[in-house]
Amino acid sequence: MEKSNYEMILCVVNTGFSETVMDAAKEEGARGGTVIHARGTANKEAEQFFRITIEPDKEIVMILVPKDIKDKVLHAIYRSAGLKSEGQGIAFSIAVDEVVGLSGGPDLSKLMQAAAPPAQETPDEKPEQ
């Protein structure tokens, strides 16, 4: 099995800043993402350490990107919605072993070929005379 050429970027931001994250990611070549609504559980010590007020309502933005643009996308997200911005975001990436469901992606075409039923032979039709 071939390794995937994709990585997953996860970005946790204050509610209302997922569009900021996606705009920055798209400028660097990302095609889209998924937003999950979440609730943070940070405590007062974390707020004092980072010298910020932590809003409990969060959005998690998941973006699947090709490995060759991952660093550019991460840095763009941090510039737009990092900890020192209103979005107070953190972003990180994780390796992705396999990918299915991407239109035109190499992994999808290989899976489709492997899953296709064998072609059935049909008798030759004789032309009408």
Side-chain angles (χ1 to χ4, degrees):
M1 175 186 339
E2 287 184 36
K3 287 287 186 186
S4 166
N5 289 323
Y6 294 92
E7 293 218 10
M8 173 70 69
I9 293 176
L10 294 159
C11 183
V12 182
V13 290
N14 288 337
T15 296
F17 288 89
S18 59
E19 292 279 330
T20 302
V21 171
M22 282 311 310
D23 289 345
K26 285 180 178 179
E27 284 181 23
E28 296 299 333
R31 294 173 54 190
T34 300
V35 177
I36 299 172
H37 297 282
R39 186 160 181 81
T41 61
N43 55 29
K44 291 293 178 191
E45 290 84 24
E47 288 184 344
Q48 291 171 349
F49 179 78
F50 290 114
R51 296 185 180 150
I52 58 175
T53 301
I54 298 176
E55 296 294 327
D57 292 323
K58 303 290 180 190
E59 292 174 334
I60 300 170
V61 184
M62 301 184 313
I63 308 167
L64 189 66
V65 297
K67 285 181 182 180
D68 61 341
I69 67 168
K70 176 204 57 160
D71 289 337
K72 291 191 303 185
V73 173
L74 270 174
H75 291 293
I77 290 170
Y78 185 74
R79 283 191 304 272
S80 297
L83 276 177
K84 295 183 180 184
S85 73
E86 285 185 71
Q88 295 179 333
I90 60 166
F92 57 93
S93 67
I94 56 175
V96 174
D97 288 337
E98 296 180 51
V99 177
V100 296
L102 294 179
S103 60
D107 298 318
L108 178 61
S109 63
K110 288 178 184 175
L111 282 172
M112 289 179 71
Q113 288 174 354
Q120 294 183 1
E121 291 185 25
T122 57
D124 291 336
E125 292 183 22
K126 295 185 180 181
E128 292 182 26
Q129 295 186 3

